[in-house]
Amino acid sequence: MSTAHSDANSGDADLAIGTVYLVGAGPGDPGLITVKGLSRLRASDVIVYDRLVSQEILSHAPEGAELIYCGKRPNHHAMSQDDINACLVEKALAGHTVCRLKGGDPTVFGRGGEEALELRAHGIPFEIVPGITSAIAAGGYAGVPVTLRGVASSFAVATGHEDPTKEEAAVDWRRLATATDTLVILMGVGGFDAIAQELIAGGRDGATPIAFISWATHPRQRTFVSTLSRGAEDIATHGIEAPAVIVVGEVVRSAEALSWFERRPLAGKRVLVTRTRDQASEVSRLLEEQGAVPVELPMIRIVEPEDWGPFDRAVDEIATYDWLVLSSANGVRAMRDRLLARGLDVRALAGPKVAAVGVKTAEELQALGLRVDVCPDRYVAEDLAEALVSEGIAGKRILLARAAEGRDVVVLRAREVGATVNDTPVYRTVPVQEYDERVIGDLLAGRIDVVTFASSSTVRFFLDVLGRERALEALEGARVACIGPITEATATEAGIRVDVQPAEHTVEAMVAAIVESYRR
Ligand code: SAH
């Protein structure tokens, strides 16, 4: 053991030197990073990441961390390996905690070993945090286990793209051909023709089944089953894409029985999410769980009301109110931000009872530490109005904090039974100023399967922003899903055919209804 190493790892060495974590981020599905990998990522202030590391994993980086992309594309190096090594060394010597995030496992064709050697040479402490390698995970997600009792009891992993600068160490395909039951090839799509010929020359039967698993564990995962002798031709004719894991061997036959990921109800379906950027992520996550590929095209933005006066005055007189009523989660967030901007917090809301239109609004209130006294079972304004009425609100004063352009149901009903309602705007929803034209192109070309509308304003702004005629044309080739009866009515009145209408007004119910529509 070198002195440099023991110093660096002993803890009483120069405290200014940072540690480098060589972390495997897993094959793509953001859930496939290890608990330890995630905690190391969260503890780092410099993140050096590769191309196949997902945005979602990167979103766990601490705020303010420096993100350095060193992705390599085929035949194109964004940063040379020397530059990457130098970068890790430089950042660690400057005292940063560095997370070197790599796709899959850092030591499987990931140059993790090289980087570790470089770090050791500079006396920089490091950890290797293993990850789930695509070599094994791809098969798992495709229903092709690399070993299977009675079918395969050994496997090998080889690279189909040897470093051309390496002199020896070329993969000996002929020897590998029959050495193990299962052979997994990474980076092998481009050169598959030559590889297959070598394997056959080495004695592997040309009829051996093989699987190309592209974008494994990603929503767009696609498995294509072929044979050793036909594979190269299939790559060309079926447009098989890299990155792909190639599995060679009898285990491939189990794909038919064991495939699961690509059989999920919405597998590969592209679903448009028209909510605000902030709110879209929740819908997107639910869709992804069902196998869909969410495509976010926000049509609305949330902005401050034109005048905060009415709300501010009401808060200053909060003790004169019996009820504080919130009709959306957006409203709760807007209210919170306004209080904070004025140097206040929820204490300024003490006094009145609290009512929420639905469970999401209630959760948002509870997150602020406010107890919710009334929350109807269904999530429409009519139910909230009735829930309030049954609380006995005659003669009571209600502060309603909501969207400037919301519906008047609660106001009218409460006034009808003799309550005084102060209806104050805390936000406005306005159309986006720009949007991604390519998504509209996809929609017009029939490349979007479902369009979701989670509010009446998303419907209206979709029509406004695109122009009515173009909007209707764009919707023709897709199923239209609305979150609830009000949104559906807005769509129907505008001449939009609504195909999916959930029983309950929640995004969960909307996603479930989309799934159901594909079962039918
Ligand atoms: N360290 C990585 C492999 C790096 S080499 C690991 O352990 O997974 C890059 C190659 O890995 C790609 O060319 C492809 O063959 C394979 N690969 C990585 N992620 C993949 C994925 N999600 N789907 C299919 N192949 C993948």
Side-chain angles (χ1 to χ4, degrees):
M1 190 184 278
S2 76
T3 335
H5 164 250
S6 43
D7 277 0
N9 275 341
S10 67
D12 44 45
D14 186 354
L15 286 175
I17 299 185
T19 300
V20 177
Y21 302 117
L22 298 163
V23 175
D29 179 337
L32 292 180
I33 187 171
T34 64
V35 173
K36 184 163 185 174
L38 195 56
S39 84
R40 293 301 186 247
L41 168 61
R42 289 189 167 134
S44 300
D45 56 346
V46 174
I47 322 290
V48 183
Y49 67 100
D50 282 347
R51 183 173 79 102
L52 291 174
V53 172
S54 75
Q55 275 304 316
E56 204 172 326
I57 286 181
L58 289 173
S59 72
H60 293 291
E63 219 170 297
E66 184 186 1
L67 296 178
I68 301 173
Y69 174 68
C70 61
K72 302 167 196 164
R73 273 159 250 142
N75 313 319
H76 180 110
H77 286 220
M79 227 166 129
S80 72
Q81 190 58 45
D82 286 345
D83 289 347
I84 296 171
N85 292 352
C87 170
L88 297 178
V89 168
E90 182 202 310
K91 294 292 178 187
L93 290 180
H96 293 290
T97 302
V98 182
C99 181
R100 172 72 176 106
L101 258 188
K102 293 163 171 294
D105 182 278
T107 65
V108 177
F109 307 127
R111 304 231 188 180
E114 283 172 64
E115 290 170 11
L117 280 171
E118 186 74 13
L119 295 168
R120 173 118 320 154
H122 286 84
I124 295 168
F126 63 83
E127 283 182 10
I128 297 177
V129 182
I132 295 178
T133 178
S134 64
I136 296 173
Y141 269 50
V144 180
V146 288
T147 71
L148 187 62
R149 219 177 141 75
V151 178
S153 26
S154 59
F155 67 92
V157 180
T159 171
H161 184 263
E162 270 282 339
D163 186 341
T165 61
K166 252 194 264 178
E167 274 158 23
E168 46 220 61
V171 176
D172 188 341
W173 295 105
R174 292 191 189 202
R175 253 158 50 91
L176 261 183
T178 55
T180 55
D181 297 322
T182 305
L183 177 59
V184 179
I185 306 167
L186 304 189
M187 298 174 278
V189 173
F192 188 72
D193 200 1
I195 295 170
Q197 284 177 31
E198 285 293 289
L199 291 174
I200 292 169
R204 195 80 179 213
D205 189 344
T208 305
I210 66 171
F212 297 108
I213 309 162
S214 296
W215 289 106
T217 79
H218 290 257
R220 64 202 269 204
Q221 172 179 317
R222 188 169 152 238
T223 303
F224 189 92
V225 172
S226 179
T227 63
L228 204 48
S229 52
R230 222 183 45 229
E233 198 188 314
D234 282 340
I235 288 175
T237 47
H238 296 276
I240 286 156
E241 277 184 32
V245 167
I246 306 171
V247 183
V248 179
E250 293 303 313
V251 286
V252 168
R253 295 191 199 283
S254 62
E256 206 172 309
L258 297 183
S259 158
W260 63 275
F261 188 73
E262 288 159 71
R263 284 197 198 160
R264 289 172 309 156
L266 301 180
K269 296 273 182 291
R270 289 165 53 90
V271 182
L272 200 66
V273 180
T274 54
R275 293 187 124 183
T276 60
R277 217 46 64 242
D278 279 351
Q279 289 182 301
S281 55
E282 184 201 1
V283 190
S284 296
R285 187 183 50 78
L286 291 168
L287 288 165
E288 272 170 359
E289 277 172 18
Q290 300 299 328
V293 184
V295 181
E296 294 182 6
L297 183 75
M299 283 288 125
I300 63 179
R301 281 181 310 139
I302 293 193
V303 297
E304 297 198 50
E306 263 148 24
D307 180 11
W308 275 112
F311 178 72
D312 290 350
R313 278 192 296 279
V315 169
D316 294 341
E317 301 163 357
I318 198 74
T320 67
Y321 288 93
D322 303 288
W323 284 95
L324 170 64
V325 180
L326 273 304
S327 65
S328 70
N330 285 326
V332 180
R333 285 190 289 266
M335 178 177 78
R336 174 202 61 199
D337 292 347
R338 180 59 184 169
L339 291 177
L340 292 174
R342 291 181 67 204
L344 302 171
D345 60 29
V346 284
R347 286 171 294 179
L349 302 176
K353 288 190 174 180
V354 176
V357 71
V359 83
K360 287 282 143 61
T361 310
E363 277 169 10
E364 206 72 44
L365 284 163
Q366 278 149 2
L368 292 181
L370 283 169
R371 203 189 63 225
V372 176
D373 301 286
V374 166
C375 176
D377 298 335
R378 284 195 341 155
Y379 312 120
V380 290
E382 281 78 0
D383 290 2
L384 175 61
E386 289 322 312
L388 282 171
V389 169
S390 65
E391 291 285 319
I393 51 171
K396 302 285 191 213
R397 279 170 54 80
I398 297 178
L399 172 58
L400 175 62
R402 62 167 187 155
E405 56 289 293
R407 295 166 64 235
D408 282 332
V409 178
V410 175
V411 182
L412 294 177
R413 184 76 180 111
R415 284 185 183 148
E416 203 175 279
V417 299
T420 308
V421 183
N422 187 7
D423 182 12
T424 60
V426 288
Y427 69 94
R428 283 179 297 144
T429 53
V430 296
V432 288
Q433 278 151 332
E434 46 191 51
Y435 58 92
D436 190 346
E437 231 352 285
R438 283 170 308 183
V439 176
I440 306 300
D442 281 355
L443 196 53
L444 288 164
R447 286 193 292 266
I448 300 282
D449 301 283
V450 183
V451 177
T452 63
F453 292 115
S455 67
S456 288
S457 36
T458 54
V459 176
R460 277 197 296 272
F461 296 161
F462 185 80
L463 294 165
D464 289 355
V465 171
L466 266 74
R468 191 168 177 279
E469 213 164 296
R470 191 150 177 262
L472 291 180
E473 188 191 338
L475 291 175
E476 249 160 45
R479 294 184 191 195
V480 174
C482 288
I483 197 168
I486 312 299
T487 309
E488 183 190 17
T490 307
T492 313
E493 277 160 30
I496 297 171
R497 181 205 68 253
V498 177
D499 308 285
V500 180
Q501 161 73 76
E504 205 185 279
H505 186 116
T506 58
V507 287
E508 286 83 358
M510 181 168 75
V511 172
I514 295 171
V515 168
E516 193 47 43
S517 83
Y518 277 98
R519 285 230 175 83
R520 270 184 256 128

